[in-house]
Amino acid sequence: MNGLGTDGGGSTHNTVSSTHNTVSGDAVIVGPLLMAQHIEGIQLPPPPPDVPPSQGPMPSRVFVNRTKELADLRDAALSLAAGPEPGVVLVVGVGGVGKTQLVAQAVRRELHERFPDGQLYVDLADHRRDGAVDLAAVLGEFLRALRVHKDYVPGGLAERTALFRSVAATLRLLVKVDNVQHAPEVRALVPPQGLLVATGRRVLPSLLMDGAVLIDVAPLDGAAGTELVRRWHADADEGTAADVVRLCAGHPLALRAALEWLAARPQLTLDDVVRDLTAGRYGTGDDGVREAMGMAMGAVGGTGEGGVGEAVDSVLDSVVAGVSGHTRHLYDLLGVLPGTTATADLLTAVGATGVDEGLGELLSCRLAVLVESSDRPRRYRLHDVVRAHARLRARALPEERRRAVLRLVVDFYADAAAHGDALVLGDRFRIQPPPVRPLSELAARGTLFTDRADALEWLDAERVNFRAVIRVAADEGWYEEVWRLCESLWALYHSRKHLADCVESGLLGIEAAQHQARPDVEIRMRNQVARAAYELGDLDRAESQLDAAADLLGLAGDPRLSGVVQESRGLIALARGRSEESPGAARERAEEARQLFERALAANRAVPDPHGIVVQSYNVAQALVAGERWADALGVLDEAAETARTTGDEPMLPRIDLVRAHAFAGLGALDRAVAAAGAAADAAAGLKQFAKLDQALELLTALADRAEDRPLRAACEEKLGALRRTMGLRPPAAPTA
């Protein structure tokens, strides 16, 4: 066996156990056995708790009169689950009729035992824009719920789909999906082993042709509704209860709202509810609004949805009119807010008073619900039918008042995003000035977030709201806030790979910059869109954005803008070089990339920007390695590493050592390549850069294989498997003999 020894020439100033290793011209190379032992000793984080995900709305303790639907859903689910292929159940009914609660009840009573590996849930209304669902974002959430570390979640839809199928291949999963509108949305989320239960407002014939089982959930009939009312209100007269059911059109949401409202007012009786609903006392009197409300509820053919919509509208009018004044004001504010969820911090920022009491009253009336979230603030949302009602009420507000509220919303999110960006990405180049309001002023109590991880979770939890807020700001002509939000949200989009959001918001940012005649901002926005397109593999779109940005460079004062454009161009050139079949063409692409990165490096030196200098030096070295100029790359990397250590830019050190390892391998100095890759593994583990640790271990495995060093290869394969299991992935396949 040709082991990795000390005969590679030269020496280093490091031992492999140092956290900040570099391997330059005077290295001390360790023997293969010591390196294998060292790899075995790398400390990995403890794996996440082995607790199956249990997502989705909780079942209510009071649930009656759906015996047939429960039985049908149970029988369909169990029959499909017993088959060799995954199954789909489609639960259809008008908005608010109880579809989600029906599924929750079925899961609690029987289905959870059939799916021991967990339950995933998504409401597609939170991910729908312009009629289409961001399925990549949904799959990203599913992967994280299945304990796949964020560093291992890829950016593109195809890659996320493949990873989801791989991770879930042996798992018995139940996937619950609300507000489905189109069959492809369902097909993309079906688990390889298990069942998907989807709820929607209309039948999807193509799904039925695929073998999906349909469960139709109609409003309650008179007998069933009366039983439900008397279950909630035990002393109700049967005739009065039947009147309430008739006036609510048998709609469970309307019935629950009316009875919850009554429960909070013991001085009133069910007769008072009937009298008020009969009189239509709190109705708007606007037939157009009532018609719109009915349309907002969706439809299932032949179910009399128009009457249901009018009944729900009347009930909600009555309930809202009966709550306290500050709660009614809060409800109207929720009707104005863009997005789908709200926190007490946001509601306070837009002028609500008595927020805690008002939210409590909305929760008790079943007008609002708590939303599951991984960040700290409690989040609230209106049921989609209730939200439609609240937004129709908001149309009656004076336009000046509505715009004033929206402006407060946009300002809140612009400042909060800027603070989050600063915590997540630190001292990076930004065009916008720091926010005027300190972070502490944005929270009703405490702070929105305290550290990098906390800030990233908050930004991610607000992602859907951010998308809506940017659109509102663009529609209202608040262009500076549009691009400020877009610039700040790069911290979220890049970190969590919300690439479709990055493109969508970036295009609005480009328009905002053009309205303000800000070529510097337009360059920044186009570069962000280009980087997202690059990561999605759409190199042509990325290049077109960069071409437009390059045309504006003569109008921009800060040389770093030229640097970011040249860097993006260089990354595209490297990507195109990797796809070249001819070695000569690949080297030409590498040289093109090197020249572009050199220009980016010069731009950062002109400022100077130490982090930019390190990044662009690293990129130059990548291009030199791609062009097989190994020795030249090592000189650039030594200088970059020295600058990184001097300026405290520790996160760049594992990246630098990885490229250094490739350069040594290209020169045939396998011992030095192993030392550099080991240094990269050490630094990445210390910094919790698990994707980089994975790359370092993969490279070490390849180097050991090349040198026929079986102990090192075995140690790397074992550690790589342990890392991937910890990160939520299946271990690599065992090598063949």
Side-chain angles (χ1 to χ4, degrees):
M1 177 179 72
N2 297 324
L4 296 171
T6 58
D7 57 349
S11 59
T12 74
H13 333 259
N14 65 310
T15 60
V16 178
S17 61
S18 170
T19 301
H20 306 302
N21 304 325
T22 60
V23 183
S24 55
D26 53 348
V28 176
I29 307 297
V30 300
L33 183 59
L34 180 58
M35 176 60 80
Q37 292 173 343
H38 179 75
I39 294 300
E40 292 171 354
I42 290 178
Q43 294 297 309
L44 300 179
D50 189 15
V51 179
S54 182
Q55 299 180 335
M58 296 295 293
S60 169
R61 286 185 294 179
V62 178
F63 186 82
V64 296
N65 299 314
R66 290 297 190 190
T67 304
K68 180 182 184 302
E69 292 89 340
L70 273 174
D72 290 346
L73 177 54
R74 177 201 62 212
D75 293 345
L78 296 181
S79 174
L80 291 170
E85 300 295 330
V88 174
V89 177
L90 179 61
V91 182
V92 174
V94 297
V97 79
K99 302 183 295 293
T100 299
Q101 189 57 219
L102 177 71
V103 175
Q105 293 291 335
V107 171
R108 182 187 68 176
R109 299 182 186 198
E110 294 188 62
L111 299 187
H112 69 281
E113 296 179 354
R114 296 283 180 154
F115 303 97
D117 296 313
Q119 304 163 31
L120 300 174
Y121 171 79
V122 64
D123 185 341
L124 295 186
D126 289 341
H127 296 273
R128 196 178 303 281
R129 58 173 180 269
D130 299 328
V133 169
D134 185 355
L135 290 170
V138 175
L139 288 168
E141 292 179 1
F142 281 3
L143 288 168
R144 286 190 288 273
L146 293 171
R147 299 185 295 281
V148 176
H149 192 276
K150 61 181 178 61
D151 289 354
Y152 283 75
V153 177
L157 174 59
E159 293 83 0
R160 290 187 178 187
T161 300
L163 183 57
F164 174 65
R165 290 174 179 168
S166 175
V167 170
T170 60
L171 302 179
R172 298 289 293 175
L173 290 173
L174 174 62
V175 177
K176 299 172 287 184
V177 183
D178 276 344
N179 285 307
V180 167
Q181 293 184 7
H182 307 288
E185 300 166 356
V186 175
R187 296 188 183 107
L189 304 177
V190 175
Q193 296 285 328
L195 180 72
L196 185 144
V197 181
T199 72
R201 298 182 180 180
R202 60 190 182 91
V203 175
L204 302 177
S206 61
L207 275 186
L208 302 184
M209 293 177 66
D210 289 346
V213 177
L214 176 66
I215 306 295
D216 192 353
V217 183
L220 298 170
D221 60 25
T226 299
E227 182 184 345
L228 182 60
V229 170
R230 298 186 74 183
R231 178 74 175 266
W232 283 331
H233 204 69
D235 59 350
D237 172 81
E238 184 171 350
T240 306
D243 287 340
V244 173
V245 174
R246 175 178 52 80
L247 291 165
C248 292
H251 195 284
L253 176 65
L255 285 168
R256 180 127 197 176
L259 272 295
E260 292 279 1
W261 176 85
L262 177 62
R265 293 158 180 80
Q267 77 277 13
L268 300 180
T269 69
L270 202 60
D271 289 319
D272 295 311
V273 174
V274 172
R275 183 173 57 253
D276 289 348
L277 290 176
T278 302
R281 174 176 305 180
Y282 304 115
T284 62
D286 183 343
D287 292 337
V289 169
R290 290 191 179 278
E291 181 181 354
M293 183 65 197
M295 293 174 63
M297 293 186 58
V300 178
T303 59
E305 58 273 12
V308 173
E310 291 180 6
V312 174
D313 185 26
S314 179
V315 171
L316 293 178
D317 283 339
S318 298
V319 171
V320 171
V323 299
S324 61
H326 66 265
T327 300
R328 194 158 52 250
H329 177 231
L330 191 65
Y331 184 79
D332 289 339
L333 283 176
L334 289 167
V336 176
L337 299 182
T340 59
T341 64
T343 62
D345 300 314
L346 173 62
L347 292 167
T348 301
V350 299
T353 58
V355 173
D356 290 337
E357 295 81 359
L359 287 170
E361 193 169 6
L362 291 177
L363 288 171
S364 69
C365 292
R366 301 297 188 215
L367 297 178
V369 295
L370 277 169
V371 180
E372 295 178 3
S373 176
S374 59
D375 67 332
R376 290 187 303 160
R378 302 184 82 187
R379 300 184 176 278
Y380 305 85
R381 71 181 301 169
L382 301 177
H383 186 283
D384 52 356
V385 172
V386 178
R387 185 165 64 243
H389 176 265
R391 288 182 172 170
L392 287 168
R393 281 178 58 94
R395 293 182 184 177
L397 293 175
E399 180 65 13
E400 183 178 349
R401 170 63 177 153
R402 187 193 66 83
R403 291 191 83 239
V405 171
L406 289 176
R407 183 62 200 227
L408 290 171
V409 172
V410 171
D411 288 345
F412 171 86
Y413 277 111
D415 285 349
H419 283 294
D421 173 29
L423 278 173
V424 174
L425 293 182
D427 187 23
R428 72 176 179 116
F429 167 50
R430 297 175 178 86
I431 295 177
Q432 65 180 295
V436 175
R437 285 185 291 183
L439 185 58
S440 59
E441 286 188 13
L442 298 175
R445 61 179 71 88
T447 57
L448 299 180
F449 35 78
T450 57
D451 57 22
R452 180 187 186 277
D454 207 13
L456 191 54
E457 288 300 325
W458 186 89
L459 291 169
D460 210 0
E462 292 282 1
R463 183 179 69 87
V464 174
N465 294 333
F466 274 123
R467 201 168 65 213
V469 166
I470 291 173
R471 286 178 177 175
V472 163
D475 291 342
E476 297 293 340
W478 299 326
Y479 300 121
E480 182 170 345
E481 285 66 33
V482 171
W483 67 258
R484 280 183 58 203
L485 281 161
C486 294
E487 184 180 43
S488 297
L489 288 174
W490 177 253
L492 169 65
Y493 296 154
H494 180 68
S495 299
R496 291 288 169 88
K497 302 303 179 187
H498 295 309
L499 303 177
D501 282 5
C502 187
V503 171
E504 178 188 3
S505 65
L507 294 175
L508 292 175
I510 291 168
E511 293 181 8
Q514 291 170 341
H515 278 288
Q516 286 201 306
R518 290 289 303 268
D520 55 340
V521 173
E522 184 176 348
I523 292 168
R524 191 63 186 266
M525 296 295 99
R526 288 190 181 279
N527 186 70
Q528 288 188 186
V529 173
R531 289 296 288 268
Y534 160 77
E535 293 200 43
L536 288 169
D538 190 350
L539 301 186
D540 291 339
R541 183 175 192 176
E543 281 192 326
S544 68
Q545 289 293 335
L546 293 172
D547 288 343
D551 291 340
L552 300 170
L553 288 175
L555 303 175
D558 195 311
R560 286 174 292 187
L561 289 168
S562 173
V564 298
V565 172
Q566 303 304 338
E567 177 190 20
S568 297
R569 284 182 175 276
L571 292 173
I572 291 172
L574 278 182
R576 292 200 185 280
R578 287 191 290 269
S579 64
E580 294 283 2
E581 295 182 2
S582 163
R587 285 192 292 270
E588 288 179 7
R589 288 288 191 181
E591 176 59 19
E592 176 189 352
R594 183 197 66 79
Q595 293 178 12
L596 290 164
F597 291 140
E598 289 281 10
R599 294 173 198 162
L601 176 59
N604 281 276
R605 282 176 171 159
V607 177
D609 183 332
H611 175 67
I613 291 170
V614 173
V615 171
Q616 301 313 325
S617 298
Y618 159 80
N619 282 332
V620 168
Q622 285 197 97
L624 289 168
V625 167
E628 301 180 3
R629 294 172 57 181
W630 323 113
D632 291 340
L634 290 171
V636 174
L637 290 166
D638 286 344
E639 184 178 347
E642 182 61 30
T643 303
R645 287 193 298 273
T646 302
T647 59
D649 200 350
E650 295 181 355
M652 286 301 299
L653 293 173
R655 299 168 181 264
I656 290 169
D657 277 326
L658 277 171
V659 179
R660 179 181 279 119
H662 283 289
F664 278 129
L667 290 170
L670 297 185
D671 48 0
R672 295 174 121 189
V674 166
D682 276 344
L687 293 166
K688 299 182 179 180
Q689 294 181 354
F690 301 119
K692 290 300 171 188
L693 175 57
D694 191 300
Q695 291 177 24
L697 291 171
E698 272 204 320
L699 178 56
L700 279 167
T701 302
L703 291 169
D705 189 55
R706 181 173 166 185
E708 300 181 10
D709 188 333
R710 293 180 180 176
L712 178 56
R713 174 177 169 173
C716 291
E717 287 177 341
E718 182 178 354
K719 186 63 64 174
L720 190 58
L723 172 65
R724 290 179 177 175
R725 286 191 294 273
T726 298
M727 297 293 104
L729 303 183
R730 292 152 55 99
T736 56

